[in-house]
């Protein structure tokens, strides 16, 4: 049973435009959400995160929005650049209790392609 | 370099072979993880070690055997694998699962079982 879902396997955006990557989750106990970026032949690298007590976090061109009532988060990239082309993984951290202590749950990833 | 080093980067092995994957981190992290990434699937957590103790085995077949001799090194011993075990195996580390830090991943080992 997948607790973190990225329903769009791919997204294609023109350079300069906004890229919006979406992520849904099922477990209301998740307390922290992260986005990772992965280039081919490399491991995922941390991009941006947000605590469950916030609804927005911004870092340069990257903004993550969290809608707890909808159990939905999104990553906005503005403006998109060709170098942003990569697979983006959404991850959620299990709450600080029990067997899910600190564990990250990942989605399947979304392949973003930014074309000139 | 992320601070988490995995070797080898690529590995081709037969189903009767025995091989080991190695992961090393010098970030001072306390927890280390093995993940499996297969095509079009989410990252699958395999094993978790916290302060050298295995705290989670996510129903992984016994043909995968982890070893964590110290908090900086993690191994994954492989024997009698199947072709469906071909995947990218990622090692990750984190400072403390209870803190708001994500994982630092290695570049992975691309494993092909023939």
């Amino acid at each position: 049973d997948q607790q973190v879902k990225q329903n769009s396997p791919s997204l294609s955006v023109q350079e300069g435009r906004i890229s919006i990557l979406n992520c849904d989750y099922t477990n209301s106990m998740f307390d922290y959400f992260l986005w990772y970026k992965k280039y081919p032949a490399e491991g995922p690298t941390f991009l941006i995160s947000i605590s469950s007590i916030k609804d927005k976090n911004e870092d340069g061109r990257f903004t993550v929005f969290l809608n707890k009532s909808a159990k939905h988060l999104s990553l906005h990239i503005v403006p998109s650049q060709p170098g942003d082309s990569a697979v983006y993984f959404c991850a959620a951290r299990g709450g600080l209790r029990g067997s899910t202590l600190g564990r990250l749950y990942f989605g399947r990833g979304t392949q973003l392609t930014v074309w000139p | 370099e992320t601070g988490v080093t995995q070797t080898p980067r690529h590995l081709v092995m037969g189903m009767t072979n025995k091989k080991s994957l190695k992961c090393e981190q010098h970030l001072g992290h306390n927890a280390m993880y093995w993940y499996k990434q297969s095509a079009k699937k989410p990252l699958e957590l395999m094993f978790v070690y916290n302060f050298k103790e295995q705290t989670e085995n996510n129903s992984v077949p016994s043909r995968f055997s982890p070893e964590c001799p110290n908090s900086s090194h993690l191994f994954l011993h492989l024997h009698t694998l199947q072709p469906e075990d071909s995947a990218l195996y990622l090692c990750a580390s984190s400072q403390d699962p209870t803190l708001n830090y994500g994982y630092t991943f290695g570049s992975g080992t691309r494993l092909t079982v023939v």
Side-chain angles (χ1 to χ4, degrees):
Chain A
D1 185 26
Q2 201 175 338
Q3 300 192 56
V4 178
K5 299 178 183 178
Q6 293 177 258
N7 293 320
S8 297
S10 63
L11 175 68
S12 181
V13 172
Q14 188 176 23
E15 181 178 8
R17 304 273 187 159
I18 184 172
S19 296
I20 301 176
L21 297 100
N22 294 303
C23 178
D24 297 293
Y25 61 96
T26 58
N27 191 336
S28 59
M29 298 302 293
F30 288 147
D31 67 346
Y32 207 69
F33 302 90
L34 308 92
W35 284 95
Y36 282 82
K37 178 179 179 180
K38 183 181 183 303
Y39 292 115
E42 294 183 13
T45 56
F46 171 75
L47 184 61
I48 192 171
S49 63
I50 187 168
S51 166
S52 60
I53 62 173
K54 296 188 175 181
D55 55 18
K56 178 182 176 181
N57 188 27
E58 189 173 354
D59 184 3
R61 297 186 296 112
F62 302 90
T63 303
V64 57
F65 295 92
L66 176 63
N67 182 334
K68 285 189 67 178
S69 61
K71 295 190 178 66
H72 177 84
L73 67 154
S74 60
L75 174 67
H76 293 212
I77 306 174
V78 181
S80 301
Q81 300 174 354
D84 296 329
S85 298
V87 177
Y88 289 78
F89 289 98
C90 172
R93 190 179 78 167
L96 299 183
R97 291 183 179 181
S99 62
T100 64
L101 178 66
R103 176 180 166 179
L104 289 185
Y105 296 80
F106 288 87
R108 293 174 186 264
T110 297
Q111 171 69 57
L112 173 65
T113 302
V114 181
W115 47 281
Chain B
E1 281 296 330
T2 64
V4 178
T5 304
Q6 289 187 245
T7 54
R9 292 294 303 271
H10 301 273
L11 178 62
V12 179
M13 60 185 290
M15 290 188 286
T16 58
N17 291 159
K18 289 185 180 181
K19 297 286 184 182
S20 295
L21 309 184
K22 179 181 177 182
C23 177
E24 185 173 354
Q25 60 92 6
H26 295 288
L27 300 170
H29 288 174
N30 302 318
M32 296 186 78
Y33 313 82
W34 279 117
Y35 276 87
K36 175 183 178 183
Q37 187 189 12
S38 304
K40 299 181 180 179
K41 286 188 176 181
L43 289 168
E44 300 174 61
L45 179 65
M46 300 176 73
F47 301 104
V48 180
Y49 278 83
N50 201 16
F51 290 98
K52 302 188 302 178
E53 300 296 322
Q54 186 179 134
T55 57
E56 188 162 349
N57 175 340
N58 204 26
S59 302
V60 181
S62 59
R63 57 186 184 271
F64 295 91
S65 175
E67 179 190 1
C68 188
N70 54 62
S71 58
S72 298
H73 294 85
L74 184 65
F75 295 89
L76 187 62
H77 304 298
L78 317 170
H79 64 97
T80 59
L81 295 192
Q82 305 297 313
E84 60 264 29
D85 296 322
S86 299
L88 179 67
Y89 289 84
L90 290 161
C91 173
S93 68
S94 66
Q95 184 166 5
D96 186 325
T98 63
L99 298 179
N100 289 341
Y101 296 116
Y103 296 177
T104 301
F105 282 89
S107 297
T109 295
R110 173 66 65 184
L111 174 67
T112 303
V113 181
V114 297

